[in-house]
Amino acid sequence: MLSSLDFYVKYAKSILNDLLIPYRECPIRIGKRTNARQLGKCHREWDRYTQKYNYDITLNPALFSSDVTDDNVIVEVLLHELIHTCDGAFCHTGMFTTYANKVNRKYHFNIGRTTSTNGTGVELPWKFKVVCMKCGKTVGTFSRRSAFI
């Protein structure tokens, strides 16, 4: 599994290098929490000694545990999180949008503010599915437990 992560990381970094997008080198790992609510997370912390931010990226293990996951989904999540390490791109506005659009135009990805799991084959365990007991049709999926659920 780690060798496949290395492959995807090298591929995502080569795309950013090709487009001259100035990402920062940081540790990238697969998380241990299978109930995480997002496919990837970029964490940053201010280092008062070096006077700059340190970043680390954690990917949801659900990306790698599913046999039906498209490789492009993993690369899109990696690109999304690596773009967050660029100056002025930690939020989903400003330079993040500029860099994401640049990657999307040239490589035909769909990097956006959020990544939908619809059609990707990735099943996040935190979703609640509401299924009709009569016909078996899925009424909807919800991320939070509510009175309806």
Side-chain angles (χ1 to χ4, degrees), residues 31-96:
K32 294 181 179 165
R33 289 183 44 200
T34 56
N35 63 342
R37 290 182 177 232
Q38 59 273 81
L39 295 176
K41 179 161 179 56
C42 180
H43 178 263
R44 78 175 177 178
E45 190 174 301
W46 180 254
D47 186 350
R48 63 184 186 160
Y49 298 110
T50 60
Q51 296 294 304
K52 61 182 181 178
Y53 285 108
N54 292 324
Y55 296 88
D56 63 88
I57 295 173
T58 305
L59 300 177
N60 193 318
L63 283 170
F64 296 91
S65 65
S66 177
D67 293 333
V68 292
T69 301
D70 185 11
D71 290 342
N72 285 339
V73 175
I74 298 171
V75 175
E76 277 183 16
V77 171
L78 268 168
L79 287 167
H80 177 108
E81 302 308 333
L82 282 169
I83 289 172
H84 277 309
T85 67
C86 300
D87 287 336
F90 191 70
C91 296
H92 293 113
T93 57
M95 293 308 292
F96 178 88

